[in-house]
Amino acid sequence: MMNIPFVTFLPMEKEMNNEMREAFDRVFTRSWYIEGVEDEAFEKAFADYCGAQYCVGVGNGLDALMLALKALGISEGDEVIVPSNTYIATALAVTYVGATPVFVEPDIRTFNINPALIEAAITDKTKAIMPVHLYGQACDMEPIMDIARKYNLRVVEDCAQAHGATYKGQKVGTFGDAAGFSFYPGKNLGALGDAGAAVTNDKELADKIRSLGNYGSDYKYHHIFKGNNSRLDELQAAFLAAKLPHLERMNVVRRRIAQLYTDGIKNDNVITPYVPEYAVPVWHIYGIRCKDRDALERHLNDKGIGTNKHYPIPMHMQECYKDLNIPQGALPIAEEISATELSLPMYYGMTDKEVQYVIDAINDF
């Protein structure tokens, strides 16, 4: 029996050992840990990578989304449309600025927000749409942007899982007013701790996000906003800058693993991911669906295969959002995904033999 973890960083860490240690030594020797040359260099490199003009490093992906909304003036009494199927950080960003998240169901094939359902959710309180490029696959951005223009709405893209994913050849994070990225260690581009960034093509917006993340200050001890403390530290910036040149290569490896899964899984009980023509995913997550999900998970775990569920309790059924008074059954697609999704091992360094072992185990179920 093989033992295959859901995720491991060991192959990547082994390859990048020297580069990461050099990054640490550089920061430690300089003895400057917040808002320095490492942060500045990474922000420029990541903006260039995304095809955006500005990048602002922040403490984490949730803060990136929250600060972008705050900078756009979203506040108490406003509504922001978010997908009903996503990680809770998307909704929390809306909550933290005092606004209300309004859940719109996904396309069951892609797990991403269904643009055809957005207009029906718009009210006179709606101020923004927050599409999530879930699992590393781009949303259908053209109709989303058309709706935003029609109703004069802001768009903040949640790119927490989609570093390098493209929509019709354009990298995600460059369609809306701003985008939030997470560099949590498990992401395709991960720091060695919490980290995030907001990306935009609007200089005024970038400056405001930076100020809001630095206690609302535009220069030392001068505060123009009631801000937060959320900055990308020099050490994490240095680690991210070391990893960034390898991101495309590592994303190619993930695409190959995903293709092996898709081609190899032949089980009528299992639905493999659907990829529209407009999307080139980066496969942060490879999520299948199965009506007997829990039994399949036990079957794989018994064979030494690590799995995960994204996400077993939909947001509207979480205790923290009971105040929204959304009853069970009101968002059936999100609920179905929550009950049937199973994430397979997906990481840089996974061997063909390991992938085939997972495939064989699924086909034997």
Side-chain angles (χ1 to χ4, degrees):
M1 183 175 78
M2 298 181 73
N3 284 299
I4 302 173
F6 174 66
V7 66
T8 178
F9 308 137
L10 291 177
M12 177 177 60
E13 289 171 348
K14 184 176 180 181
E15 282 188 18
M16 299 195 62
N17 179 67
N18 290 338
E19 290 174 82
M20 299 298 277
R21 290 181 182 278
E22 287 171 6
F24 173 83
D25 288 342
R26 199 166 59 243
V27 174
F28 191 68
T29 300
R30 191 179 289 119
S31 192
W32 187 283
Y33 303 111
I34 299 289
E35 294 187 319
V37 295
E38 299 289 347
D39 187 24
E40 184 179 349
F42 172 72
E43 287 180 349
K44 182 180 186 309
F46 191 67
D48 289 346
Y49 172 79
C50 292
Q53 293 187 49
Y54 307 101
C55 169
V56 181
V58 298
N60 54 68
L62 170 54
D63 283 359
L65 297 173
M66 181 270 291
L67 291 169
L69 290 172
K70 196 172 183 179
L72 288 167
I74 311 299
S75 62
E76 189 172 352
D78 295 336
E79 293 177 352
V80 177
I81 290 172
V82 302
S84 59
N85 176 57
T86 182
Y87 185 54
I88 199 166
T90 311
L92 288 176
V94 177
T95 301
Y96 287 170
V97 298
T100 301
V102 175
F103 300 127
V104 169
E105 289 271 71
D107 183 327
I108 190 67
R109 300 171 304 165
T110 65
F111 298 176
N112 281 332
I113 193 168
N114 187 341
L117 303 178
I118 291 176
E119 278 194 90
I122 295 173
T123 72
D124 57 359
K125 296 180 179 180
T126 306
K127 294 297 187 292
I129 306 170
M130 187 179 287
V132 181
H133 306 292
L134 199 67
Y135 299 174
Q137 176 160 282
C139 294
D140 192 358
M141 290 305 298
E142 275 189 9
I144 292 173
M145 295 307 300
D146 287 344
I147 293 167
R149 283 187 286 269
K150 179 179 178 179
Y151 291 93
N152 194 30
L153 303 177
R154 300 292 200 165
V155 175
V156 176
E157 297 172 68
D158 184 339
C159 300
Q161 302 180 359
H163 315 67
T166 61
Y167 173 82
K168 296 187 176 182
Q170 181 178 337
K171 283 195 175 74
V172 300
T174 58
F175 293 90
D177 296 277
F181 286 85
S182 167
F183 302 124
Y184 180 78
K187 298 297 195 279
N188 291 34
L189 179 63
L192 301 191
D194 276 322
V199 166
T200 181
N201 286 317
D202 183 330
K203 184 180 186 304
E204 184 177 348
L205 187 60
D207 290 344
K208 190 170 182 180
I209 292 170
R210 188 179 302 282
S211 177
L212 284 167
N214 188 29
Y215 300 97
S217 174
D218 54 349
Y219 61 88
K220 197 171 181 67
Y221 301 134
H222 185 259
H223 304 272
I224 52 178
F225 307 111
K226 295 173 182 176
N228 302 79
N229 176 19
S230 184
R231 300 169 294 191
L232 178 61
D233 68 70
E234 286 288 276
L235 191 57
Q236 300 303 339
F239 290 146
L240 289 165
K243 286 186 172 185
L244 181 58
H246 302 278
L247 178 57
E248 282 297 301
R249 174 174 62 86
M250 293 181 177
N251 281 344
V252 167
V253 171
R254 300 175 86 98
R255 291 190 187 106
R256 182 173 181 278
I257 294 169
Q259 195 63 54
L260 289 172
Y261 276 146
T262 301
D263 292 343
I265 294 173
K266 307 294 182 185
N267 185 321
D268 291 340
N269 297 308
V270 173
I271 301 172
T272 54
Y274 168 76
V275 181
E277 289 185 3
Y278 58 69
V280 178
V282 293
W283 299 107
H284 174 61
I285 298 294
Y286 187 93
I288 61 175
R289 286 197 299 123
C290 180
K291 290 293 185 184
D292 298 318
R293 186 265 309 279
D294 293 343
L296 175 57
E297 181 174 44
R298 288 192 297 270
H299 171 75
L300 296 178
N301 293 169
D302 287 346
K303 290 182 176 292
I305 298 167
T307 55
N308 206 337
K309 296 186 283 284
H310 296 88
Y311 300 95
I313 304 173
M315 289 182 294
H316 67 285
M317 293 172 63
Q318 296 282 356
E319 183 75 13
C320 64
Y321 277 121
K322 65 180 181 181
D323 61 308
L324 296 178
N325 297 312
I326 302 174
Q328 185 172 351
L331 298 168
I333 299 177
E335 291 174 29
E336 180 175 345
I337 293 172
S338 292
T340 59
E341 192 276 346
L342 186 66
S343 302
L344 303 182
M346 169 62 75
Y347 51 86
Y348 176 77
M350 193 176 181
T351 67
D352 288 1
K353 186 176 180 180
E354 290 170 328
V355 176
Q356 190 60 51
Y357 182 78
V358 177
I359 292 169
D360 291 342
I362 293 173
N363 291 342
D364 287 343
F365 175 70

